[in-house]
Amino acid sequence: DIQMTQSPSTLSASVGDRVTITCRASETITNWLAWYQQKPGKAPQLLIYKASSLESGVPSRFSGSGSGTEFTLTISGLQPDDFATYFCQNYNRFPYSFGQGTRLEIK
Amino acid sequence: EVQLLESGGGLGQPGGSLRLSCAASGFTFGSYGMTWVRQAPGKGLEWVSTISGSSSFTYYADSVKGRFTISRDNSKNTLSLQMNSLTADDTAVYYCAKVERGGGGYFDYWGQGTLVTVSS
């Protein structure tokens, strides 16, 4: 099974900052990777699919990159609404797997 | 507008059963795979099961294989998860989600979740 490892687990930043979250797969998943944002008490929301494709309606300050085993989610110019938890997900093959999550908190 | 509404959560007994449902609307239900993802209190997301649009294929996490059964009724736009032999580790919010295509893929729409608590 493919293991997904996110880093860091917690990230402290300020409004306006540029932040990067990393997700590593235990084996190559080509570019079959998605990123989700989750706010407390709410369902996750899709941000990025196929490693770098922005979901419709998601602000352009979110971007994804990477292929193979290493991927990044970058948020350029943090907004107050962006403080949440972020998860990566492998959908290369079953069983699918999620990273453990990165909590983005206000510094 | 895509809408997914889960129901059926609640308190289950260890060793007992619960059946979750997800009512879908706003898209051609039978053309898309559907999935269940769960989240234990204070924990991360765990993929549970996926079913293809035609029900030809089903996939399960090892943690639920042999105990949970995913199914769908395309005539009623409904997804189900039959949960048997429940344990405390099954306590979680269960989300249904739409898969972006007929088989596997990422999850583009999610329901609001239903809480399952397994306790005596």
Side-chain angles (χ1 to χ4, degrees), chain B residues 44-86:
Chain B
L45 301 173
E46 179 187 13
W47 170 79
V48 173
S49 182
T50 296
I51 185 168
S52 62
S54 62
S55 301
S56 297
F57 303 102
T58 57
Y59 307 91
Y60 297 92
D62 286 345
S63 58
V64 307
K65 199 173 295 181
R67 301 188 300 121
F68 290 11
T69 301
I70 191 171
S71 61
R72 64 191 296 161
D73 184 338
N74 288 348
S75 69
K76 297 181 179 178
N77 288 2
T78 300
L79 173 73
S80 298
L81 185 68
Q82 178 66 42
M83 308 164 62
N84 298 334
S85 303
L86 290 167

Side-chain angles (χ1 to χ4, degrees), chain A:
Chain A
D1 297 355
I2 298 172
Q3 310 302 319
M4 307 300 292
T5 304
Q6 279 182 243
S7 60
S9 297
T10 305
L11 181 57
S12 298
S14 302
V15 173
D17 284 354
R18 180 177 184 268
V19 298
T20 297
I21 299 168
T22 298
C23 180
R24 289 187 174 87
S26 60
E27 60 185 82
T28 182
I29 58 171
T30 318
N31 59 353
W32 304 118
L33 184 103
W35 289 97
Y36 302 88
Q37 177 194 68
Q38 187 180 33
K39 296 179 181 177
K42 300 295 186 182
Q45 287 192 305
L46 176 67
L47 297 175
I48 301 283
Y49 61 93
K50 212 172 179 183
S52 60
S53 297
L54 192 67
E55 172 69 350
S56 176
V58 174
S60 58
R61 62 181 179 272
F62 291 91
S63 63
S65 65
S67 66
T69 62
E70 187 152 338
F71 303 87
T72 59
L73 172 70
T74 299
I75 312 172
S76 301
L78 274 172
Q79 297 299 302
D81 191 50
D82 300 337
F83 292 94
T85 300
Y86 294 85
F87 295 93
C88 61
Q89 180 222 343
N90 141 56
Y91 59 98
N92 179 59
R93 57 178 169 82
F94 292 101
Y96 289 172
S97 49
F98 289 90
Q100 79 278 17
T102 294
R103 181 171 170 252
L104 177 57
E105 60 180 29
I106 300 175
K107 186 184 289 185

Side-chain angles (χ1 to χ4, degrees), chain B residues 1-101:
Chain B
E1 179 192 7
V2 172
Q3 292 193 352
L4 299 169
L5 185 61
E6 302 95 337
S7 60
L11 180 64
Q13 299 287 319
S17 299
L18 280 176
R19 186 177 182 86
L20 305 183
S21 295
C22 174
S25 61
F27 64 102
T28 306
F29 184 68
S31 296
Y32 294 91
M34 294 294 294
T35 201
W36 290 97
V37 173
R38 68 183 182 183
Q39 187 170 36
K43 302 297 184 183
L45 301 173
E46 179 187 13
W47 170 79
V48 173
S49 182
T50 296
I51 185 168
S52 62
S54 62
S55 301
S56 297
F57 303 102
T58 57
Y59 307 91
Y60 297 92
D62 286 345
S63 58
V64 307
K65 199 173 295 181
R67 301 188 300 121
F68 290 11
T69 301
I70 191 171
S71 61
R72 64 191 296 161
D73 184 338
N74 288 348
S75 69
K76 297 181 179 178
N77 288 2
T78 300
L79 173 73
S80 298
L81 185 68
Q82 178 66 42
M83 308 164 62
N84 298 334
S85 303
L86 290 167
T87 74
D89 288 342
D90 296 320
T91 295
V93 174
Y94 284 74
Y95 297 100
C96 73
K98 171 184 168 292
V99 182
E100 52 93 9
R101 56 179 188 259

